[in-house]
Amino acid sequence: YPFLKGFGIPRPVAGIYDMYGPCNFSDRFWTTKLPHLKVPVGLTESFMNKVFEEHPVPITGGVSLEGQSTGPPDFNDPRQAYALTRLANGTILDAIFPSKDWDMVDPVRNISSCFPPTFIAHGIEDSKVPIGLSRELFRRLKDHGVHCDMREIPVEDHTFAAKMQVGSQ
């Protein structure tokens, strides 16, 4: 699995559990502005770039680059301001992987018949990673004969797993 080598995986992967995972980075969604993500006017690059001065890098709270958050956005926090502004402006991929060599990291571009078994879970109402991207990944996995399955979770948005309860879908 060539693309997994970039993540420091020391042995073959037994399987992948993909929860609303970003993929298919050539899709125009990744460079489209998302008007439903409200970003305050007046955030400066110098303020948002304070995220690069954090040491150690926080591992709890805030928001991740794919939009996972632990509560309402706090734009007084450079980390949240940086991530949500990049996502809203369609520049998130440049922030995550500026080299633009998507062949290295995009699962869709690395599928072969020896790809690990994959299970995809994606909320039907995902507002940050469109479900169509996971549907395309699932289709391509099946086309290559990869053992795979996908569940589309009704009424769920992005990062629904953070709110899951025992017995939920």
Side-chain angles (χ1 to χ4, degrees):
Y1 323 115
F3 81 99
L4 293 175
K5 290 180 183 173
F7 295 101
I9 307 297
R11 61 187 174 285
V13 174
I16 296 174
Y17 179 47
D18 173 356
M19 295 189 73
Y20 36 75
C23 63
N24 200 1
F25 300 133
S26 60
D27 190 279
R28 58 184 294 178
F29 162 77
W30 294 108
T31 56
T32 301
K33 291 189 178 200
L34 303 179
H36 66 280
L37 295 178
K38 306 293 182 209
V39 175
V41 176
L43 290 172
T44 65
E45 287 294 318
S46 63
F47 170 73
M48 290 187 290
N49 284 336
K50 288 182 180 182
V51 68
F52 299 110
E53 299 169 10
E54 295 176 333
H55 185 74
V57 174
I59 58 172
T60 60
V63 66
S64 65
L65 281 173
E66 82 277 0
Q68 181 173 328
S69 61
T70 57
D74 176 6
F75 287 97
N76 293 313
D77 173 3
R79 176 165 293 274
Q80 293 185 51
Y82 180 88
L84 291 171
T85 299
R86 297 291 181 261
L87 189 60
N89 289 336
T91 58
I92 196 69
L93 292 182
D94 293 334
I96 295 172
F97 203 68
S99 77
K100 299 184 189 307
D101 187 1
W102 304 117
D103 288 337
M104 291 177 56
V105 295
D106 191 342
V108 169
R109 295 188 187 189
N110 288 280
I111 298 171
S112 69
S113 59
C114 64
F115 201 86
T118 302
F119 182 83
I120 304 166
H122 205 121
I124 291 176
E125 296 181 20
D126 195 322
S127 63
K128 296 197 175 80
V129 176
I131 194 168
L133 298 177
S134 286
R135 289 174 179 154
E136 176 66 10
L137 173 61
F138 182 54
R139 183 189 69 74
R140 290 191 188 192
L141 289 166
K142 288 192 312 184
D143 288 350
H144 281 85
V146 175
H147 184 71
C148 60
D149 200 358
M150 179 174 173
R151 290 291 181 270
E152 298 184 9
I153 312 302
V155 195
E156 293 294 352
D157 195 355
H158 195 65
T159 66
F160 63 85
K163 302 175 286 187
M164 287 189 338
Q165 302 291 321
V166 173
S168 68
Q169 286 195 27

